[in-house]
Amino acid sequence: MTPTATPTGAYPAWKAGTAYTPGVRVTHAGVGYECRQAHTAVAGWEPPNVPALWLRLP
């Protein structure tokens, strides 16, 4: 299952083991992030830890 951005602005929580594609938005620790590169998330690759994969949203 590939997550997609939710138009209401509420994004699903980031989850290890999930395949993400560019443009998908998630929430981690109360902050929104947008995927920059396709990847499958693993523990340790949380959005704030890997800015090459995730763009923090304003």
Side-chain angles (χ1 to χ4, degrees), residues 9 13 23 26 32 44 47 58:
V26 299

Side-chain angles (χ1 to χ4, degrees), residues 13-34:
W14 178 91
K15 184 178 177 186
T18 301
Y20 292 104
T21 57
V24 169
R25 293 182 174 189
V26 299
T27 300
H28 182 270
V31 178
Y33 293 88
E34 183 174 314

Side-chain angles (χ1 to χ4, degrees), residues 2-6 9-16 18-21 23-36 39 41 45-48 53-57:
T2 301
T4 57
T6 304
Y11 308 119
W14 178 91
K15 184 178 177 186
T18 301
Y20 292 104
T21 57
V24 169
R25 293 182 174 189
V26 299
T27 300
H28 182 270
V31 178
Y33 293 88
E34 183 174 314
C35 180
R36 293 178 180 216
H39 67 284
W45 285 9
E46 290 83 1
L53 298 176
W54 296 100
L55 172 66
R56 184 179 175 147
L57 299 172

